[in-house]
Amino acid sequence: MTQRQVNGVNGLHQDSLESNHIHLNGTNGGANGNANGNSNGNGNGVKSETRKKMDRKKSSPMMPTFMVSAPGKVIVCGEHAVVHGKAAIAASISLRSYLLVTTLSKSKRTVTLTFPDIDFDHTWNIDELPWSTFSHPSKKKYYYDLVTELDPDLVAAIQPLVRDVSPGKPSDIRKVHQNSAGSFLYMFLSLGSQSFPGCQYTLRSTIPIGAGLGSSATIAVCMSAALLLQLRTLSGPHPDQPPEEARLQVERINRWAFVYEMFIHGNPSGVDNTVSTQGKAVMFQRKDYSQPPSVKPLWDFPELPLLLVDTRTAKSTSAEVQKVRKLKEAHPKLVGSILDAVDKVTTSALELIERDDFDTESEESLRGVGELMNINHGLLVSLGVSHPRLERVRELVDHEGIGWTKLTGAGGGGCSITLLRPGVPRSKLEMLERQLEEEGYQKFETTLGCDGVGVLWPAVLRNGMDQDEEGGMEIDLENFLRAEGNEGVERLVGVHGDNGAREGWKFWGVES
């Protein structure tokens, strides 16, 4: 597949997107008329006013409660080198965010964000939002539009609403809450209309925040998918959906997730939201910082067993990037050769994984990738971006022969990833878990290269509980909020049960 820009400009034509706006369950329809406009012409000689009367429908019932979910991500190879124009591979992981969307009765004209994991809860009156500014002909955006920068006038219009968020919270927490509010409002007002139904959006996540795992991008993807589903501008996901159509749908979600990310990060690469939306993995490279990075989707990236360890050590991505930049200025040839070596590791890893004889259950195949990961880590250590807490994880894993470990992301703290060796005794993993817990780490057994954005429509799951015999368990707001910690959330609504994807969750099939 040829490389494409992260925002999905290449190969995706607006007319393709416009022609594909059908209802979720394949019924006839399109985008919300108030949000996206209706043509006055009908092609049948019927006057517009008459046609409107003929088409007028009886009041439809409320949209069912539904849920969307999106995965976090890790850098498999190439961190830091990618800042200097080299390639890197980012892949999804099975730690996910889950967004429950509850439609309110017609009399309730409010929209609420509830993110209990960060103690955030705020409500706005829909009719008091600045619709006139966002719907002005010079400002209005449609679901099929490509938005590559925020409109300063629109940002200014929501600032009074953002300033009212979490007034009694400490400044650092308030900033997180206000970023969440602002990014949501910008997307909601861009896509929606004043006739939008009252809703509550409740988010739970199993992804550590601030650990370089793309947690904000997962929220962006969940919000984008939820709003587009509510506007009925997505078809599927369904089993018979052709891959090309599925990719168009996924790209639409990705475009608006990028808008959400821009509000938080200013000038994000778009890689996090791309991986979270489509799942699997991507190879990305940014040679010119005045242009978006080129992104090659790895649609058939295999699922691999992964041990993720959060050092629970605060890191600064900018500080680590600056550290390498200064080192390169002091020793340009030497550091340049190290970055070239990192690039060779990345391309070698991709070549190995894409071989026809690569076997995810073969120790020989996994050892090849694992050894490259070890080499990548050693090169990053030579650049000074590791941390004693990261090296301690490597020591514990190597001592027991559990797998191959490297830091992921900027380093200086954050997380490590370990590609697990096949057939590791459960007793060894449990012993490692006890040791890590005693030393203040947080461990996650996860999967690399998992599915991207998924939908549970309606929010009813078969999850191995007694309710399955009665048609499944309905996920309502109360039990979703009551779920305790990561384990409680996964047990209640998790995409993955003991034997793969749970019955109920559906994904856009983007594989080749």
Side-chain angles (χ1 to χ4, degrees), residues 222-351:
C222 285
M223 283 294 181
S224 174
L227 288 171
L228 291 170
L229 285 166
Q230 288 179 288
L231 291 169
R232 302 186 185 279
T233 61
L234 297 175
S235 64
H238 55 81
D240 300 324
Q241 194 168 28
E244 285 305 315
E245 180 184 301
R247 291 176 192 175
L248 286 172
Q249 301 287 304
V250 164
E251 188 56 47
R252 187 175 299 163
I253 297 169
N254 190 33
R255 285 183 175 191
W256 282 97
F258 184 71
V259 174
Y260 190 106
E261 282 278 87
M262 279 195 290
F263 195 96
I264 296 175
H265 299 296
N267 184 31
S269 70
V271 170
D272 285 9
N273 51 275
T274 299
V275 175
S276 186
T277 306
Q278 72 176 38
K280 301 302 179 182
V282 300
M283 176 177 275
F284 63 100
Q285 191 168 13
R286 193 171 198 169
K287 294 181 177 180
D288 182 354
Y289 269 76
S290 67
Q291 300 293 326
S294 60
V295 177
K296 176 186 176 183
L298 307 177
W299 300 116
D300 299 313
F301 192 88
E303 292 192 356
L304 300 172
L306 198 73
L307 184 72
L308 175 75
V309 178
D310 184 359
T311 64
R312 289 177 166 169
T313 301
K315 65 173 182 63
S316 167
T317 298
S318 59
E320 298 304 314
V321 168
Q322 189 61 23
K323 184 188 297 182
V324 174
R325 194 179 301 280
K326 287 182 177 179
L327 196 65
K328 187 181 180 186
E329 290 171 356
H331 309 282
K333 289 186 178 179
L334 180 58
V335 173
S337 65
I338 294 172
L339 297 175
D340 288 340
V342 172
D343 189 51
K344 288 186 174 66
V345 167
T346 301
T347 54
S348 298
L350 182 59
E351 288 170 4

Side-chain angles (χ1 to χ4, degrees), residues 51-181:
R51 181 61 179 263
K52 286 179 183 176
K53 290 178 181 177
M54 291 168 59
D55 287 349
R56 190 169 292 150
K57 297 178 181 178
K58 293 182 180 179
S59 214
S60 58
M62 287 193 303
M63 185 173 283
T65 297
F66 68 96
M67 182 172 281
V68 290
S69 175
K73 74 94 180 63
V74 295
I75 305 295
V76 181
C77 295
E79 46 270 275
H80 284 286
V82 74
V83 177
H84 300 271
K86 310 299 182 182
I89 297 173
S92 60
I93 54 175
S94 55
L95 300 181
R96 306 180 71 94
S97 289
Y98 296 90
L99 181 71
L100 185 70
V101 182
T102 309
T103 303
L104 307 178
S105 65
K106 287 187 177 180
S107 61
K108 294 184 179 178
R109 302 293 302 141
T110 59
V111 58
T112 298
L113 293 186
T114 302
F115 296 179
D117 298 329
I118 59 171
D119 192 28
F120 174 48
D121 193 310
H122 197 88
T123 299
W124 296 272
N125 187 314
I126 292 175
D127 296 321
E128 294 175 359
L129 298 178
W131 294 109
S132 59
T133 304
F134 276 77
S135 61
H136 190 276
S138 66
K139 303 293 184 184
K140 180 60 190 170
K141 298 297 181 184
Y142 301 98
Y143 70 91
Y144 48 76
D145 283 335
L146 174 67
V147 180
T148 57
E149 59 184 5
L150 300 183
D151 186 316
D153 293 334
L154 300 183
V155 172
I158 62 175
Q159 284 308 307
L161 300 166
V162 173
R163 283 195 293 268
D164 287 343
V165 169
S166 302
K169 301 288 185 183
S171 60
D172 56 336
I173 295 175
R174 192 178 185 205
K175 181 180 179 181
V176 172
H177 292 184
Q178 290 183 336
N179 278 339
S180 299

Side-chain angles (χ1 to χ4, degrees), residues 383-434:
L383 295 174
V385 296
S386 189
H387 186 277
R389 296 273 290 170
L390 289 165
E391 296 307 311
R392 176 60 173 159
V393 177
R394 278 174 50 82
E395 179 185 351
L396 291 171
V397 170
D398 289 352
H399 183 265
E400 295 297 332
I402 287 172
W404 302 271
T405 302
K406 67 178 285 291
L407 67 84
T408 183
C415 295
S416 70
I417 54 174
T418 298
L419 182 63
L420 290 172
R421 191 184 301 274
V424 175
R426 190 73 222 170
S427 58
K428 280 194 173 186
L429 289 171
E430 289 173 352
M431 184 168 63
L432 175 64
E433 182 173 9
R434 287 193 297 271

Side-chain angles (χ1 to χ4, degrees), residues 296-299 302 349-358:
K296 176 186 176 183
L298 307 177
W299 300 116
L350 182 59
E351 288 170 4
L352 198 160
I353 288 170
E354 289 187 329
R355 283 174 49 172
D356 291 338
D357 61 350
F358 184 83

